[in-house]
Each structure stands twice: as C-alpha cells, then as structure tokens.
C-alpha cells in the first residue's frame, strides 16, 4: 500500500519518541522508505544510531552540520519526501510550526517543505488543553496540516487525559489513508450535518429550547470537511465557530432546520446531531408578548415538530446512502438507542449517556456506542473532537463501500 512512498519522519523530544522506531518499521513493512530527523529533544530519548539502523538511512540531526548539509541539504531533505510525518509532535514543535519559526533542523524543514505535513501530537494533558496549544492546533489545521490523535489515557507523567501519542497502527492507517485518497478521501461527497438546539418561539421574547451546545455536531462537520467532504452544516442558535471549509446555514426553529436540510438535498450522507425541539407552538409565535398582569398563567397549545432524521431515513429515491442519528439517553443507553435506530430507520445510531453524572452535555468529552443493524461498537471516552474524527473515518469507510 505504501510501495515507493518516501516518508520523512521528524521525531520530537517526548517520552513517546521510542514508539517512532516501531512506526518507522511498520511503515517500511508496507513498502515505504523512511528517513529520520531527530530534534535535540528527541535525541534525549533515542539515538540517531537506532533511527539510522532501523530505517536503513542516514538520520539527520543538525541544521549547521557541514557533513549533513554536504550530503543532503535541508531544503532537499524537505522536498525529497512524499509526506512529512512528525511523531511525537511536542507542544514546542507545534508552537514553532504554527508561528513559522525555523531555528533548528526540524522546524526549518517544516517551514521549507512543499509537501503534506501530518503531526501526531503527544504531551501532558494540561499542556494539550492549554489555550496556547489549542490556538496553535487551530492554526495548523487552517494551514492544512493533518492530525492523527492524540488519544486519551494514562500518560507517562502519571496523569490521565488526552495527550497520548496515537497508537502506531492508527498512525499507519492515517498515512495509508493519506496516500489512498490524497488528503481528501471524501472529496466529491456531499454531507449534511445538523447541530445545536432549535428555538421555538412562544412570543417575541420567549422560546422553548434545550441545553445542546452544538459542539459535537460542529466537530463532526469540521472532521468531515477535513477529509474533503462538501459539508452543509445546518445549525441552530449556538456560539460555536464555523469549522474551516464548512458551509454553515443558521436556523432557529425545527421547521427552518427541516427546510434547510431538504433544500440541501441530494446528499451522500446525513448526520443528524441537532437536539431538535419535539414541539412548537401550535398557532405559531404569538404576535405580542404575553403579559402576566393581563394573560395570567398561559395555556400553551403545542404541536409536534417534523422528525428530520426519520424524514431523511424514509425518503425513497434521493435518500442519502448513509443516514446517521444520535441518541442521547440517560439510562439503558444501548437498549433504548437500538430501539430508536429501528424506529427512525437510520443506518447508524450514535448513542451516548447524557445523564448529569456523565458531564457530556456541554462538556468536552463523550463516550459513545456506534449501533448498526448488526453490531454495537463501544468507543472509549475521548474528546468530542476525537469522536468526530473517528466518526468521520467510519463514515468515509461506509461511503467507500
Ligand atoms: O427522538 P430523539 O429526539 O431522541 O432522536 C434523536 C435523533 O433524532 C437525533 O439524531 C436528532 O438529531 C434527530 N431528530 C431530528 N428531528 C427531530 C427530533 C430528533 O432530526 N424532530
């Protein structure tokens, strides 16, 4: 699969540096040739000799080495590769990349390269969560850098959380995905995503709504766009930034959301993440504000909103090949979600526990079960971003079939 591909592997200074040796071997087993670059920090963890021995290639370490430059100048090094892979990518290395610094061999190559760059971050969970790191990540994403991981779990520092270097097989998969479909395996695929709550007006100032933040749906739209999909995100009222490359349509009510989704058809896939209000005012919004002194306690006559997910699932001709729904449950999550999948007629239900104890509503993490007609796949707790990336890859795999 990687026959003839040339990978420049930049190894940063983190405890996970040793995993890059295994990574290099696994890439080579699939036919790639790997050339290693070790940062000064990286050399504290593994030696140039081990990198050179395992890759059967010179390992480069020094920007100002006459020998290295005579043999292979850093510009050539950066160009004679099909992919530049940084693993582990430390917070420091990503900060340099995001800001265009070039004060050592690795950062100079990363600034000089005209090839796709993929980074596999690894660091302490607090460093990962720091605003500066998240800002740098956003910059790198906008610059077109591909990310793999990090995962969550026990970190070398003894803390638990996101920041673990992606597993080697996942990194190999990401590299293979890149070469299989270029950077954009979903290019040419149209995908509709709904996200956020809806607001159903009662009168000019009041409305019925819910606590959905829109975060998971926005992350999913961004992850799909990163894989090259043409994404239309129909969003209820939320304060989320539009992900790069996503076509966002803002709506308020369920009727507007339904109309926007219908207008966006046809599509190859639809992912309904929105927490659509089940009911709206039967007679529409009241023209005047209800007055306590005049109207007393109002009787609100409600009617049911259209079920967008069910409607998409039951379209005859013109039904998206893949329809994904979400099931937010507070108890017996898998049982209820399995029944919901059948009731709605969608292909996949992503079920999660939104009980107050889970902290999912409005929180950064999620733990989901991917339910199809024949399987239940329970993913470990991970950030909503990672759920989005993993789900985008699942969608990509289904659409590729
Ligand atoms: O029925 P319930 O609201 O629990 O179903 C949740 C799933 O159905 C989510 O995927 C949600 O986006 C979708 N849904 C919808 N339109 C509705 C209600 C729910 O698309 N009116």
């Amino acid at each position: 699969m990687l026959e003839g591909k040339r990978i420049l592997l930049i190894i940063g200074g983190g405890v996970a540096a040793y995993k890059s040796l295994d990574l290099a071997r696994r890439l080579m087993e699939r036919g790639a040739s790997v050339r290693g670059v070790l940062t000064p920090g990286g050399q504290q963890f593994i030696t140039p000799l081990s990198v050179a021995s395992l890759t059967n290639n010179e390992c480069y370490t020094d920007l100002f080495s006459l020998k290295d430059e005579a043999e292979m100048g850093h510009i050539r090094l950066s160009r004679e590769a099909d992919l530049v892979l940084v693993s582990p990518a430390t917070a420091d290395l990503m900060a340099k990349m995001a800001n265009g610094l070039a004060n050592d061999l690795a950062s100079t190559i990363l600034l000089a390269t005209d090839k796709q760059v993929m980074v596999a971050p690894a660091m302490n969970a607090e460093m990962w969560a720091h605003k500066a790191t998240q800002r740098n990540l956003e910059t790198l994403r906008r610059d077109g850098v591909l990310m793999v991981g990090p995962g969550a779990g026990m970190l070398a520092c003894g803390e638990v959380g996101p920041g673990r270097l992606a597993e080697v097989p996942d990194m190999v998969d990401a590299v293979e995905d890149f070469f299989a479909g270029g950077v954009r395996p979903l290019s040419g695929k149209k995908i509709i995503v709904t996200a956020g709550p809806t607001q159903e007006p009662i009168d000019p100032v009041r409305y019925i709504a819910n606590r959905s933040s829109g975060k998971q749906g926005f992350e999913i739209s961004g992850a799909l766009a990163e894989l090259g999909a043409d994404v239309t995100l129909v969003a209820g009222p939320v304060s989320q930034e539009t992900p790069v490359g996503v076509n966002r349509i803002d709506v308020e009510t369920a009727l507007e959301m339904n109309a926007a989704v219908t207008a966006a058809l046809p599509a190859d896939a639809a992912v309904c993440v929105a927490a659509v209000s089940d009911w709206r005012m039967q007679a529409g919004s009241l023209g005047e504000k209800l007055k306590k002194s005049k109207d007393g306690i109002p009787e609100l006559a409600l009617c049911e909103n259209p079920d967008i997910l069910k409607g998409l699932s039951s379209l005859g001709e013109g039904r998206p090949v893949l329809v994904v729904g979400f099931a937010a449950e507070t108890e017996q999550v898998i049982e209820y979600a399995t029944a919901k999948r059948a009731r709605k007629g969608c292909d996949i239900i992503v079920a999660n526990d939104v009980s107050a104890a889970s902290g999912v509503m409005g929180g950064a993490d999620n733990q989901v079960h991917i339910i199809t007609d024949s399987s239940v796949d329970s993913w470990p707790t991970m950030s909503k971003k990672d759920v989005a990336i993993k789900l985008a890859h699942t969608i990509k795999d289904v659409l590729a079939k």
Side-chain angles (χ1 to χ4, degrees), residues 194-196 198 254 257-258 271-279 304-312 324-329 340 343-344 346 348-350:
T194 70
T198 63
M257 186 173 274
N258 196 34
V271 190
C272 295
V273 199
V276 184
S277 170
D278 288 317
W279 312 284
E304 210 169 308
N305 268 327
D307 190 318
I308 302 169
L309 175 64
K310 202 170 175 177
L312 283 168
V324 182
F326 271 66
E329 308 287 354
K340 185 167 292 178
R343 207 166 54 240
K344 302 263 186 178
C346 58
I348 297 178
I349 275 272
V350 181

Side-chain angles (χ1 to χ4, degrees), residues 24 33 94 99 155 170 182 188 206 237 265 346 397 400:
S33 67
M94 291 197 299
N99 290 286
L155 303 174
D170 290 340
R206 303 182 178 91
L265 288 168
C346 58
D397 291 342

